[in-house]
Amino acid sequence: MTTGQHIASRDRAARQLSVLSATYPGWEIQHNGDAPAEEAWKAVLLHPLTPMLAKVGVEQTITRPDAPSLASALQCQVALIHNERATHEITKFPGRR
């Protein structure tokens, strides 16, 4: 890889990191270009992982080889969290089971 390609790759990763961080504020997003390829991108949930969230498949830490696959995994995690919270909130209302 030439110096120019390396700089372009680093700039692209920085932009992807910025977009992921803005899109998923409940997660700490990290990029480590020196890590093994399968662990280059990492997201850590900023809120405590409750037993109920873990039961439905929410993970505290997610690692992926690239930004698009991390974004996909995070979207799935956000859906799981949203669905669990919505289900839990519905059961709190009087007259609902």
Side-chain angles (χ1 to χ4, degrees), residues 9-26:
S9 176
R10 194 175 59 212
D11 289 347
R12 180 178 179 195
R15 287 191 307 274
Q16 290 172 323
L17 180 62
S18 177
V19 168
L20 286 171
S21 295
T23 305
Y24 301 100

Side-chain angles (χ1 to χ4, degrees), residues 58-81:
V58 176
E59 300 176 44
Q60 185 72 44
T61 302
I62 301 169
T63 57
R64 294 293 187 272
D66 54 49
S69 60
L70 182 63
S72 178
L74 286 171
Q75 185 56 45
C76 290
Q77 293 291 295
V78 168
L80 290 171
I81 292 168

Side-chain angles (χ1 to χ4, degrees), residues 11-65:
D11 289 347
R12 180 178 179 195
R15 287 191 307 274
Q16 290 172 323
L17 180 62
S18 177
V19 168
L20 286 171
S21 295
T23 305
Y24 301 100
W27 298 79
E28 178 185 343
I29 312 295
Q30 304 166 3
H31 176 254
N32 183 354
D34 297 328
E38 65 276 359
E39 299 176 0
W41 288 87
K42 180 178 179 179
V44 179
L45 185 62
L46 294 175
H47 304 284
L49 182 63
T50 65
M52 216 38 163
L53 289 175
K55 182 179 177 182
V56 297
V58 176
E59 300 176 44
Q60 185 72 44
T61 302
I62 301 169
T63 57
R64 294 293 187 272

